[in-house]
Amino acid sequence: MGEYRENEKVFEEKFERLWSLLMTSAKIQVFTGAGVSTLSGIPDFRGKHGVYNSPWQGLPVETILSLDYFYEHPDVFYQWTEEVWYRLENYQPNIVHKTLALMEERGLLKDGVFTQNIDFLHQRAGSRKVYELHGSARHSLCTECNAFFDYEKIAPIVRRGEVPRCPSCGGLIKPDIVLYGECLPASVLRKAEIAFSQADLTLILGSSLTVYPAASLPRLTSYYGGKVVIVNADPTDQDGSAELIFRDLDQTFTAINEALRSIK
C-alpha cells in the first residue's frame, strides 16, 4: 500500500494546493477507476498486477469479457467472473470510498461520483449519487424476457458453478455490466458529458484513462477551462493537462478525510 507514497514534505506542499482547490471550487466532479477498488483488495485490470496481463485458461481476458463470447460460452464467462464479481461481499469500502461519501455529505460533491467500477462499493460506503458508466454487478437481466434479478439471487447460482437462467422463460441471464462490444448507457453518458463540461475541478482517481469513451470525459473539464487533479499509481496520457498529480490514493484521501473531519 505504501509503494507509491510521496515524501511527506513534497506531499504536504502539493496537498495544500489540492485543499485550496477543494475549498474554492463551486462544482467538483469525480471519476473513479479500478485503482480505487484495488485498495479494497479487488484485482485491477491494467495495472502492474492486472488481470489482463496474463491469459485465463489460454484465453485473453478481454475475449472472455466480450458480448459475443458471453453468448457463445456463458459457462466460461461465469467461471471467470465467479471469483471476484460474485464474491463482492468479501470486499469492504476503503478510505477513498468513505471520503467521497463524506465529501458528498458535506456538500462538496453535488453531482456525485461517476465510476468505471462495477462493485457498488461507493454505495456501500454511503454515497447516494453514483453513476455507473460500465454498469454494475448489483443486478442482472434475462436476455430473453428482460426480467430483473438482484445480486443476492444470482451470486449463489454462479458460485455453485452453474450458468444462471431465467426461471420464467429459461433465457440466459446476463449481469448488467457493459461488456466489450456493448455501448455505454446513453443516459448516463450524456449526464456525464454535461457534468464534466461544467466542472470547475475534476478528480480522476485510480484510472489508467485508457478505456473509451469513458476516459474521454475528464478531458471535457480541461477543454472548458476547469482544473484536473489525477491520483493514480501509474502515469496516464492526460497527465500533461493536470493541475496536480498524486500517485498514492491512500495517502491522498487519508489527508482529505482528516482535513474534512477537522472542520466542525
Side-chain angles (χ1 to χ4, degrees):
M1 187 174 292
E3 180 180 356
Y4 298 97
R5 283 186 73 86
E6 297 184 81
N7 172 276
E8 287 299 328
K9 183 177 181 181
V10 173
F11 175 79
E12 287 173 8
E13 291 176 357
K14 286 167 50 177
F15 182 76
E16 285 184 15
R17 294 165 60 196
L18 172 60
W19 185 249
S20 177
L21 288 172
L22 291 174
M23 292 297 100
T24 58
S25 298
K27 189 174 179 62
I28 301 171
Q29 202 54 65
V30 173
F31 180 92
T32 69
V36 171
S37 296
T38 60
L39 282 182
S40 293
I42 297 176
D44 72 351
F45 287 90
R46 291 176 175 79
K48 184 186 301 184
H49 307 292
V51 297
Y52 284 174
N53 293 339
S54 58
W56 188 80
Q57 295 188 2
L59 290 167
V61 174
E62 288 102 327
T63 297
I64 298 171
L65 297 183
S66 68
L67 185 63
D68 288 344
Y69 194 87
F70 167 77
Y71 280 113
E72 293 169 3
H73 303 282
D75 54 335
V76 178
F77 173 89
Y78 277 110
Q79 286 171 29
W80 187 89
T81 57
E82 180 266 341
E83 186 174 343
V84 175
W85 289 7
Y86 291 97
R87 296 183 183 273
L88 289 171
E89 60 271 27
N90 294 341
Y91 304 96
Q92 301 303 319
N94 60 58
I95 188 65
V96 181
H97 299 111
K98 294 173 183 177
T99 302
L100 291 173
L102 179 60
M103 289 172 67
E104 182 182 0
E105 180 185 315
R106 296 289 181 90
L108 293 176
L109 300 182
K110 298 179 177 64
D111 289 328
V113 172
F114 287 86
T115 185
Q116 295 175 292
N117 300 331
I118 57 90
D119 50 40
F120 50 97
L121 287 175
H122 284 298
Q123 292 92 329
R124 287 176 57 195
S127 289
R128 294 182 296 278
K129 294 182 181 178
V130 181
Y131 303 98
E132 295 160 320
L133 293 162
H134 292 160
S136 172
R138 285 183 302 160
H139 33 77
S140 300
L141 298 170
C142 174
T143 57
E144 297 293 334
C145 70
N146 215 37
F148 177 93
F149 303 91
D150 60 26
Y151 173 85
E152 288 74 18
K153 175 71 173 179
I154 300 302
I157 297 172
V158 177
R159 291 200 290 259
R160 290 197 302 267
E162 302 173 14
V163 173
R165 294 195 173 271
C166 180
S168 298
C169 74
L172 178 62
I173 293 174
K174 175 186 174 295
D176 193 18
I177 294 169
V178 178
L179 302 180
Y180 289 102
E182 289 188 286
C183 296
L184 270 63
S187 59
V188 177
L189 186 59
R190 180 57 184 153
K191 186 174 185 66
E193 290 171 344
I194 294 170
F196 286 101
S197 297
Q198 296 176 348
D200 300 309
L201 173 66
T202 284
L203 305 179
I204 302 171
L205 310 176
S207 176
S208 61
L209 297 174
T210 57
V211 179
Y212 286 81
S216 65
L217 295 170
R219 291 185 186 274
L220 294 171
T221 300
S222 299
Y223 181 81
Y224 286 101
K227 292 181 171 59
V228 170
V229 172
I230 297 176
V231 190
N232 192 59
D234 300 313
T236 78
D237 64 4
Q238 295 186 37
D239 284 6
S241 60
E243 186 79 7
L244 288 168
I245 297 171
F246 297 85
R247 292 298 175 211
D248 193 294
L249 280 161
D250 180 69
Q251 182 182 30
T252 305
F253 274 80
T254 296
I256 294 174
N257 192 286
E258 290 175 353
L260 279 174
R261 293 189 181 283
S262 71
I263 302 174
K264 302 301 182 184

